[in-house]
Amino acid sequence: MNKPTVVSGIRPTGYLHLGNYFGAVKNFVKMQYDFNCFYFIADIHSLTTHPTPGNLQAGVKQVLAEYLACGIDPEVATIFIQSDVPEVTELYTILNMNAYLGELERTTSFKDKARQQPDNVNAGLLTYPVLMAADIIIHKAHFVPVGKDQEQNLEMVRKFAKRFNRMYKKNVFPIPRPFTFDGADMLKVPGLDGSGKMGKSEGNAISLFDDPKEIRKKVMRAVTDAGPTEMNAEKPEAIQNLFTLLDIVSKPDTVAHFDGLYNKCEIRYGDLKKQLAEDIISYTSPIREKIVSILEDDAYLAKVAKMGAEKARESASKTLNEVKKVVGFNSLF
Ligand code: AMP
Ligand code: TRP
């Protein structure tokens, strides 16, 4: 029986952090046996921020090692590097002809990036969701496991896939959907700085590669306040964020314990942070050790990337050939 297809990717712009892990990679691992999975390293997407060639290469190698260390099995799922599959950029070019300036300019991630890097508002940033659409629909994916921050980009992807099918009056592409287990909400892992999401460039992240000392230091420095002054008070954002992190990494009784103390105004944030740091460390330590050992094995990494590229190209070229026929290329000769 044919398994549904899954595609997802991560940009090689730094060490993977808890947001990447709990928002995406943990689900990649869980899905690999029940779905036909393609997991890639979005190196073309990362060019929008102009990395040096050296940084780009190191970033790609790091994410590849991190995928493997987290438990993605390259014999089961297809792991590949985006730029190894040129068919993707060909489909991107075709899809660009039906992506409109107005809708691209209105995308939140574009507006955010344009604000963050006003001196580098390049066309790649504008058409970021189109390349993402090509990544996904070139494998005719049904599901895309991503964190909450990708919800709008995925909505654009769905729009482009539907538009292509409608324009050429043929159901070439399934319409991909975001995926979470058991219908859970898409996850947004908060940062340690009191507001917003954990992000590589926000300086508020704990990475899988941080050592225990670094993790303790970062967690102990997380933003808190003077503590509740009345019983059962609503938690301010910075405090709620710590509880959200606790919810993700700790046992339910640990969360209930600190919640009870908070509601009785007896909480000591130092104790909560110590517990949070230890629970994060017990998650990340085994992964960190594996990353370190995999990074030493260049031959293995190269073998995984080559095997993945072959499988991904086979799948991608099949779809691209179909698209070219539908569009009218190759039709005369
Ligand atoms: P990026 O690092 O932006 O390439 O993100 C790669 C994946 O991690 C995407 O699926 C994101 O949705 C997910 N992700 C990144 N940050 C977070 C976060 N703070 N919470 C949940 N998911 C996240
Ligand atoms: N845009 C994603 C991010 O920044 C990365 C990405 C690129 C992606 N192409 C994708 C994710 C295709 C899922 C599917 O997090």
Side-chain angles (χ1 to χ4, degrees), residues 8-25 28 42 45 67 113 128 132 144-151 186-191 196-202 204 248:
S8 197
I10 294 186
R11 290 169 305 138
T13 45
Y15 300 120
L16 294 196
H17 54 67
L18 297 181
N20 298 135
Y21 183 71
F22 290 102
V25 182
F28 294 5
H45 274 106
Y67 272 173
K113 279 277 153 54
Y128 189 104
M132 204 168 143
V144 186
V146 280
K148 177 99 183 139
D149 59 312
Q150 294 301 311
E151 197 172 20
M186 293 169 89
L187 197 63
K188 178 180 141 186
V189 178
K197 66 157 189 160
M198 185 173 285
K200 285 171 193 155
S201 50
E202 276 80 349
N204 63 5
I248 293 170

Side-chain angles (χ1 to χ4, degrees), residues 167-206:
M167 176 151 173
Y168 292 102
K169 299 187 180 58
K170 204 159 182 274
N171 279 332
V172 178
F173 300 115
I175 309 305
R177 281 191 285 150
F179 182 91
T180 55
F181 279 96
D182 307 320
D185 289 337
M186 293 169 89
L187 197 63
K188 178 180 141 186
V189 178
L192 296 170
D193 51 354
S195 69
K197 66 157 189 160
M198 185 173 285
K200 285 171 193 155
S201 50
E202 276 80 349
N204 63 5
I206 293 183

Side-chain angles (χ1 to χ4, degrees), residues 254-274:
T254 309
V255 185
H257 168 71
F258 285 105
D259 210 35
L261 289 175
Y262 183 87
N263 287 332
K264 284 187 285 180
C265 301
E266 287 170 12
I267 191 150
R268 295 204 317 224
Y269 292 132
D271 294 345
L272 182 153
K273 287 176 172 180
K274 265 189 210 138

Side-chain angles (χ1 to χ4, degrees), residues 274-290:
K274 265 189 210 138
Q275 181 72 46
L276 177 60
E278 294 318 307
D279 290 344
I280 291 174
I281 291 165
S282 58
Y283 244 107
T284 55
S285 276
I287 300 178
R288 179 172 190 277
E289 281 164 27
K290 284 192 202 132

